[in-house]
Every structure is written in structure tokens, then in C-alpha cells.
């Protein structure tokens, strides 16, 4: 059975020093292919390899959620985080 791997990265900058309500939740996400939202199935499933696929979106969503949870916990604890970078890989 073949495995299919999807990699994403995220980045955020700002400050959590002002507490939970003050920091920006805006961040960037990069996929291994294009960053637009024209979607296709993965090439392994007869889709267009140049387009973003649902599996990549699932991986980047989990990555983004984890980062936002971390930033929220840091802000509540009074820890001033000024940047965050994360990468995630999902295997199907």
C-alpha cells in the first residue's frame, strides 16, 4: 500500500506581551505546491499535481490550530512570544 505525504509550514510574528485579547491571529501558510485555493485531488488520485489538494489543507489546518493554541496559552501566561514557525507533515 502506497503512502502519500503532505508538508506545510506556517509563520507568525507579532507579540503576545499584551495578553490574550491583544495579539494578532493573522499568519501565513505555505503548501508544498501553490498557495492559491484552486483545488484538485492529489496526483496519486488522478488529480492535478500543480494544484492544492484537500490533504494539504487538512495538514495546514492542524498546524495552524496548534500554533494558535500555543500563542493563546503563552499570552494567558504572560509570556511574550514574538515569532513562531512551524512545519507539519501528514501521511495517508
Amino acid at each position: 500500500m502506497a503512502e502519500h505525504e503532505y508538508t506545510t509550514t506556517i509563520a507568525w510574528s507579532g507579540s503576545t506581551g499584551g495578553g490574550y485579547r491583544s495579539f494578532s491571529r493573522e499568519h501565513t501558510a505555505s503548501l508544498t505546491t501553490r498557495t492559491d485555493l484552486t483545488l484538485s485531488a492529489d496526483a496519486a488520485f488522478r488529480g492535478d499535481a500543480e494544484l492544492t489538494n484537500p490533504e494539504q489543507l487538512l495538514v495546514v489546518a492542524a498546524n495552524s490550530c496548534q500554533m494558535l493554541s500555543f500563542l493563546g496559552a503563552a499570552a494567558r501566561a504572560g509570556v511574550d512570544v514574538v515569532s513562531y514557525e512551524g512545519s507539519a507533515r501528514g501521511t495517508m
Side-chain angles (χ1 to χ4, degrees):
M1 188 175 291
E3 285 188 354
H4 307 283
E5 194 169 278
Y6 307 93
T7 303
T8 64
T9 59
I10 57 172
W12 171 89
S13 64
S15 175
T16 58
Y20 181 75
R21 294 185 186 275
S22 70
F23 72 92
S24 171
R25 273 63 171 179
E26 185 176 319
H27 55 287
T28 60
S30 298
L31 306 172
T32 53
T33 58
R34 300 172 61 155
T35 56
D36 61 26
L37 291 179
T38 302
L39 303 176
S40 179
D42 185 1
F45 304 105
R46 304 180 54 93
D48 185 339
E50 294 299 313
L51 298 178
T52 301
N53 64 60
E55 293 83 1
Q56 289 172 309
L57 295 176
L58 179 62
V59 173
V60 79
N63 197 5
S64 178
C65 186
Q66 190 279 329
M67 181 202 66
L68 291 169
S69 296
F70 169 79
L71 293 174
R76 285 187 181 99
V79 176
D80 186 12
V81 177
V82 296
S83 70
Y84 180 104
E85 291 183 24
S87 60
R89 181 176 57 214
T91 303
M92 182 172 72

